Amino acid sequence: MEQYEPRIIAFLCKWCSSAGSDLAGVSRMKYPPNIIPITVMCSGSVSPLYVLSAFRNGADGVLISGCHPGDCHYIKGNFYARRKILLLTELLNYIGMDEKRFKMSWVSAAEGAKFTELAKDFVEEIRFLGPQNKLIRGN
Amino acid sequence: MEVVIQRDSFPQLLEKLNRYNIWLPRKNGDYWEFKLSRGKESLDKKYTNTKLSPKKFVLPQTETLFQITEGENGKFNIDEKQKKDSLDIVFGIRPCDGVALSHLDKVFLNSFKDPYYSKKRDNTVFIGLACETPPFENCSCTTMGESPFSTKGLDILLKDIGDRYIVEYITDKGKKLFSGFPNLFGKITTKDKESLEKIKKESNKKIKKRVEDLSETTKKLDIMFDSDLWFHESQSCINCGICTYLCPSCHCFDINDEQLSKKPLNVKRVRTWDNCQFPIFTMHSSGHNPRPDKQSRYRRRIYHKFSYFYKTEGEHLCTGCGRCSNYCPAGINIFETLQKVAEYE
Amino acid sequence: MKRIGFFICHCGINIAGIVDIKKVVDEMKGYPGVVYSRDYVYMCSDPGQSLITDAIKEEKLDKVVISCCSPTLHESTFRNAVKSAGLNQFHCEIANIREQCSWVHTNRERATDKAIKLSKSAVERVRGNDSLEPIGFPVTKKALVVGGGITGIQASLDLANSGYKVILVEKDPSIGGHMIQLSETFPTLDCSQCILTPKMVEVSKHPNIDLLTYSEIEEVSGYIGNFKVKVKKKPTYVDPDKCNMCDECTKVCPVLVPNEFDLSLTGRRAIYIPSPQAIPATYTLDINSCPGFVPIACGKCADVCEVNAIDFDMKPEILEFEVGSIIAATGYELYDKKEMTSFGYGKYPDVIDSLQFERLCSASGPTGGKILRPSDHKEPKEIVFIQCAGSRDPELHCAYCSKICCMYTAKHAMLYKHNVHDGQAYIFYIDIRSGGKGYEEFVQRTIEEDNTLYLRGKVSKVYEERGKLKVWGVDTLIGKTIEINADMVVLAMATRPSAGAAELAKKLKVSLDKDGFFAEAHPKLKPVESITSGLFFAGSALSPKDIPECVAQASGAAAKSITILSQDKLYHSPTVAKVNTRLCTGCNMCVDVCPYEALSLEDNKAKVNEILCEGCGTCYATCLRAAIEIKNHTPLQVHNIINASLGG
Amino acid sequence: MVHIEDIKKEAKRLLKEKKIKYLIGYKRGTNGLTALPTFIKEPEDTDELIWEASCIQNLSRYLVEEKKEQLKNKAENTLPVGIIAKACDTRSIAVLLQEKFLERKDIYIIGVSCEYGGVIDQKKIKKKFRGKKPEKVIFDKTNNLLIGTKFGNIKVPAEEILAERCIECKSTFPLLCDDVFGENVKRKISEHFNSIKEIEELPAESRWEFWHGHLEKCIRCFACRSVCPMCFCTECVVDPIELAVTNESTAREKAEKVKWIERSTTATDNIIFQLVRTLHLAGRCIDCGECERVCPVDIPIRLLNKKMEKTALEKFGYESGFDINMPSLISNFKDEDPQDFIR
């Protein structure tokens, strides 16, 4: 039987987390290819609709990653993101979506290793949970 | 033709029919809806009427018309989603909703025969249940020229006379359905007929007649288009779609293509209910909206039901079931509007 | 219909080693919109770039996607190439299949699958991109410098000497700041006033500098290249053009108030000149202490003024300017003495702060350069200097190091010894921080040549007993308590941001750091820049600094200003927010969240100032009405990218 | 105690003295117990006003409509519109003011305190008085309500028939009022978030079954959205109310509308619609309960919003509808906002 391969969308802010994942590449660190990165300008620009849309289109997990508090390229975008994402997390959890499928992280441009660890752990967590079939479109 | 079946035999009847999809009214929380039968059960004596009308059996809210998929070699495969050959049997259709089915037939089976509707209509047996007591205060079938024992649109009508039902076959389809098991049915007696007449009379009496002669009343609509009645009647409307989505006769629909994947292409064409009370219903792509306010939308609803449809089809597109008025969040009552039309000078 | 060209780079074996290039090329060939798909070993090479430009022409491509390394490396390379072929730069997008794919994965099949998804995503991104041109806007070739201390003076002179007009605003009646109060400067011991006054004079004479003393910033609006500034010029009640500096007025003035310039060691009249070297050289009438604002009450100065320079009817003036850049150099002040009661400061006249000691050492000071006790004008024979008075004390005072105190205290001890040859100086210190050219040698001289006794430890209490100041402290090196009977105690007070900094920050709409200093845009790479383009900081308004550092930052900020002022037009990335006014309901939420003040409400609709907008998109994610989005980062693009990323 | 005669008198005065354009209030319903909205222009019509526990609706929704009409017709409002508002209704007006959709000068608020009561839950009444046809509900001075029926008045303990939201209500006294009737009473409240406790305590899978089961039924009549005073967007993100296009809109603008969900009434898209609505109401919903009341398929929508209300309060110390000058929940942050969920 073919092994189940989770599909994960990662919204990475351009200045910290995307750069951090670039660094993971430059440092030739290895992580599983299940995570498809989507670069956004700032974690603050990620609308909850993006997350829901990712789940709807078949994502098994969604990651949002931005700069550490205080390091935001846009000064405070990640603080707004933190609020919105917490609200979304609470809501998804409340309706019975597995909260582990949705994650937020701070990854700086220097944290290639952190990104690698995060990616590995997240893929394994999702692999353990299995396919997400609650918010799949058409259902 | 009329026969009789004991109330006690009803579960047996269901059992005999169990190779079909049998739908019975069942309570879901605070309201009734049609649910697939779980086997031996009876019609609940407390049953009033379903909140959502039975139109969904012939005109589902969402219906895939066909689906296009792109194959390996770039060829497209078109799948017409019309595989419905199994029979659906729906018990407990109130006569008003049966009348509504006859309205829908006029729309979908007359000048243009809608294949999707037609197929579903052919494969569904609608078994009515006459109202020995009108279930709601707003029941107004008599206003519409119908009765709680009307047979329009139905295949079979059951009439509850206490411990048994009088079974009236209306169509051949209906007659055929029960023909396989004659020993469940008995002959109708004079006594049965007498008690039925009594119940009928009682029931008719309980139903409020809102206007004396609806057709006379609605003739007034011809001169009322610019009346400020529409403004006042619709002032508390909130532009939701409850009245039309719950209405058994409303049948406006929209068709959309829904893309599931870009490459390989996977698209389906879907027909969904639409709603004239939504502001977007008449919105033009230019930004112009010929029915820009709720008074024009409410007026449209009344005119469609009591003027335009009447003029083309000879019937009012309303069965008096009362759903729109029972469940309107703002308490707008279509029958009160009709009364005001009647009083209009 | 869009004609999109797809190019994939092998990057030698960096990409091709893991990703099945051919499979990606084939897969992309069939993707909607892609009409051309090919690979090359090094896309960024000249032949690689020519492949793109040629294909644009031959295949009539209108958009291009290149799957290669991170866009941080070659996005601009490829966008320039695309531009040279006649397309708008935004019709080129990069899919990063090296750093985010081939370098981090090992499974060929799955890495290839991911490369395809990333490539499709880039196609979806480029599909939704509009042609955009950088937004150009003009620059007012004039700078505003706030603060007339050494930092502000240096910045103004550098700007003015480069040919730009400068408006220098100083809140006090004279420029010169704290440096003009100092005696000698470490480590060279040259006279502070002697080296500063020529610069002050140059400022006053410079044709490019408009000096506004006794003035404060009232309001700042606008943006880089186009700030609008309102300055309030307080009335001095003395017409500087008429005043001939005869000094008759001060002789008749009946009021005596503490002299700020001498830090209350002397007094001054209500009408006064701050110091002999004051620039502008004119008198100021301090209306808060003058009893005669109603001239009938006093008016003596006006009576004696032969040139009628005194004008009681002078009113505050609001002056408006347009400038292209702003440098805030608002400097520092000493820690509030009220906080230092345990050392007897404010209670005993002979416990003084470091600036007061500077005045005592200064030849122009109250004692003519002799070090005498304020209480009885006797020469102190034993003097205690206490370092870190308020600094490096996170529990009670300031957590940070005030940086300059180690050096000036060493200088004070040295100056004391040069003045009072038989005296003994003690210095209580935590550490001696003497990083800097010639600094360590200077401290060593203080210790060795001038026999200053450095005691490592803190002072717990200073109190007076029989005419002496008892200093209780501890020497942590020998582990014993120490008691010194001193004649005078000098506190090396912590430096704080100047009082007006917080208010100015509000007007400039920038944030302060946790200590109240201005916050630089980046602590290392943008040390004089603020988060607001066109606004710079310099000197001790940012953090405690000595003179050479202040001067260096002043020149740095001036140079940064010149990078703006020297442009005829400035350009700004066009990927900025765009409002759909038909959807906007004017709820103000985007205005609330915008970090750049780029949004405002006009006629109850959000309006974008494209020059201020940095395109972060926080407004989009906040807007409940989907009435605002970032150009070329539209929700539709993201929606399609999500779909493509998941294989749709 | 609130006396309807006082309200009528004031309403009459306002209309007579032309202080208000018209008054939005409650009149006796013709269909069951629930009071109906009425729009009174003439002073003599004020007699039809009622005030009792059946005045369930949040009439501020009609202020939104009035405003929209004004915007559409670019008309300048000359006189304020009068409105009879309960405590929760005034909070929704507060949010509308906070979001600058309404202007204070355009509204004249006649606040009515719910005192010890609140409004009734139609479903509870229906169950309790099956067949008795209740005609009106009268507030008692105590914790009881009197239900008027053909068989006379029946006394019922308030909590048995009050709407859940009223039982959990923080403050029964209206804010921002021009006139206010009734007293500001402190009443005992057991738990503000009692109604969601049960769901919160379910295991995740049961929570999913609960919500999936409910949202699957949604028929997209959009009554929840239509009745909500906070849903004043021109174009709803998930499914358009109307298209914000004009004759200047380009074809591309029209073509490139994002379809976050489809028209097909699939459970997934129903859920996404409600999730988006819930998120958009976070920090804005003031728990008037209208969405849940009007839902024809009995989806407990209020319990979604209640969860956000709880999160806003517990995590961010934010309460909606009390302060019109502060930034909204999501257009604001505090340095100490929780981040333990972030890795």
Side-chain angles (χ1 to χ4, degrees), chain C residues 349-352 357 360-361 367 369-385 412-413 415-426 467-469 485-490:
Chain C
D350 296 335
V351 178
I352 60 172
F357 192 77
L360 290 181
C361 297
T367 55
K370 285 211 172 68
I371 296 174
L372 300 172
R373 309 205 315 180
S375 59
D376 53 10
H377 290 264
K378 279 187 189 150
E379 208 167 57
K381 294 297 177 195
E382 280 191 289
I383 186 163
V384 172
F385 295 92
H412 287 171
L415 291 178
Y416 168 74
K417 194 69 184 171
H418 294 179
N419 220 300
V420 186
H421 300 299
D422 56 346
Q424 177 63 50
Y426 304 89
K468 288 276 185 185
L469 289 165
N485 288 319
D487 296 314
M488 192 168 179
V489 172
V490 182

Side-chain angles (χ1 to χ4, degrees), chain C residues 173-221:
Chain C
S174 167
I175 58 170
H178 285 308
M179 186 175 168
I180 198 70
Q181 294 173 299
L182 306 182
S183 53
E184 273 112 41
T185 57
F186 61 81
T188 47
L189 293 190
D190 35 7
C191 156
S192 186
Q193 295 179 345
C194 313
I195 56 176
L196 183 58
T197 40
K199 284 187 185 286
M200 289 163 64
V201 173
E202 196 184 344
V203 164
S204 69
K205 298 262 152 65
H206 206 296
N208 280 346
I209 299 179
D210 219 342
L211 177 60
L212 295 171
T213 50
Y214 216 42
S215 302
E216 279 171 28
I217 302 295
E218 192 74 0
E219 195 184 307
V220 179
S221 59

Side-chain angles (χ1 to χ4, degrees), chain B residues 280-293:
Chain B
I280 196 177
F281 185 74
T282 46
M283 186 94 198
H284 292 184
S285 153
S286 64
H288 171 64
N289 194 341
R291 280 182 226 138
D293 45 32

Side-chain angles (χ1 to χ4, degrees), chain B residues 38-196:
Chain B
R38 289 178 288 215
K40 288 189 173 182
E41 54 184 322
S42 297
L43 279 168
D44 196 322
K45 272 273 188 192
K46 286 194 258 50
Y47 169 57
T48 51
N49 196 1
T50 54
K51 197 169 199 177
L52 297 174
S53 84
K55 73 178 171 191
K56 63 172 182 180
F57 289 105
V58 281
L59 185 66
Q61 178 159 20
T62 302
E63 181 177 20
T64 302
L65 304 181
F66 56 81
Q67 185 159 4
I68 303 173
T69 43
E70 188 181 353
E72 281 282 308
N73 46 11
K75 278 197 180 134
F76 293 102
N77 172 43
I78 300 176
D79 176 14
E80 294 225 33
K81 295 271 178 184
Q82 279 210 65
K83 295 212 180 78
K84 193 173 183 276
D85 282 324
S86 63
L87 200 64
D88 281 57
I89 302 166
V90 192
F91 281 95
I93 307 277
R94 290 296 183 183
C96 49
D97 292 342
V99 173
L101 287 168
S102 76
H103 292 158
L104 296 183
D105 290 345
K106 285 193 161 64
V107 177
F108 289 102
L109 298 177
N110 264 4
S111 50
F112 173 76
K113 197 169 163 188
D114 183 285
Y116 303 95
Y117 178 90
S118 160
K119 186 123 188 173
K120 290 195 172 68
R121 188 72 167 104
D122 289 347
N123 287 328
T124 313
V125 183
F126 289 102
I127 302 177
L129 181 64
C131 303
E132 75 276 13
T133 314
F136 301 114
E137 207 180 328
N138 270 324
C139 280
S140 305
C141 52
T142 52
T143 310
M144 302 302 147
E146 306 295 343
S147 91
F149 287 76
S150 169
T151 57
K152 271 189 196 162
L154 298 170
D155 295 300
I156 298 169
L157 179 66
L158 303 181
K159 300 162 210 180
D160 190 345
I161 52 167
D163 56 347
R164 59 208 138 147
Y165 297 106
I166 295 174
V167 183
E168 183 182 353
Y169 296 120
I170 298 140
T171 62
D172 286 346
K173 189 165 69 175
K175 198 170 171 185
K176 229 171 84 190
L177 184 73
F178 291 165
S179 62
F181 13 92
N183 36 4
L184 285 179
F185 298 91
K187 273 197 181 135
I188 185 164
T189 63
T190 333
K191 211 181 135 201
D192 291 340
K193 279 186 182 163
E194 276 171 16
S195 39
L196 175 66

Side-chain angles (χ1 to χ4, degrees), chain C residues 21-134:
Chain C
I21 301 283
K22 190 178 172 303
K23 193 171 172 204
V24 181
V25 169
D26 288 347
E27 186 75 21
M28 293 309 290
K29 234 172 226 165
Y31 196 67
V34 177
V35 294
Y36 183 79
S37 174
R38 71 157 296 168
D39 59 305
Y40 188 67
V41 61
Y42 286 110
M43 285 309 306
C44 59
S45 66
D46 275 350
Q49 293 188 43
S50 306
L51 271 178
I52 300 172
T53 49
D54 291 349
I56 290 173
K57 285 168 198 151
E58 282 157 24
E59 302 289 331
K60 297 192 170 56
L61 302 180
D62 52 16
K63 284 168 190 270
V64 165
V65 166
I66 300 135
S67 287
C68 56
C69 53
S70 170
T72 51
L73 297 170
H74 280 304
E75 187 178 78
S76 54
T77 311
F78 291 121
R79 286 196 164 169
N80 284 334
V82 161
K83 232 161 117 183
S84 74
L87 294 184
N88 184 278
Q89 55 161 332
F90 287 99
H91 295 317
C92 168
E93 283 287 348
I94 308 294
N96 179 356
I97 59 163
R98 193 179 74 176
E99 284 83 347
Q100 294 184 345
C101 187
S102 70
W103 277 355
V104 285
H105 305 318
T106 46
N107 180 314
R108 185 171 175 83
E109 197 185 328
R110 294 183 54 215
T112 304
D113 180 59
K114 178 168 168 180
I116 290 167
K117 284 174 179 162
L118 290 172
S119 303
K120 286 180 179 174
S121 299
V123 170
E124 292 308 330
R125 195 180 285 279
V126 85
R127 202 196 299 279
N129 276 357
D130 276 327
S131 301
L132 299 176
E133 295 298 340

Side-chain angles (χ1 to χ4, degrees), chain C residues 278-338:
Chain C
I279 298 285
T282 180
Y283 283 73
T284 300
L285 193 145
D286 165 18
I287 205 65
N288 293 324
S289 40
C290 173
F293 191 51
V294 188
I296 305 152
C298 178
K300 288 189 175 114
C301 51
D303 293 344
V304 296
C305 183
E306 287 179 355
V307 290
N308 291 328
I310 297 167
D311 174 9
F312 280 104
D313 294 331
M314 228 181 240
K315 292 271 168 326
E317 267 180 281
I318 300 286
L319 306 167
E320 288 183 41
F321 303 97
E322 285 188 20
V323 295
S325 74
I326 300 175
I327 297 174
T330 49
Y332 74 98
E333 59 187 43
L334 287 187
Y335 198 45
D336 194 342
K337 59 182 168 194
K338 283 200 282 293

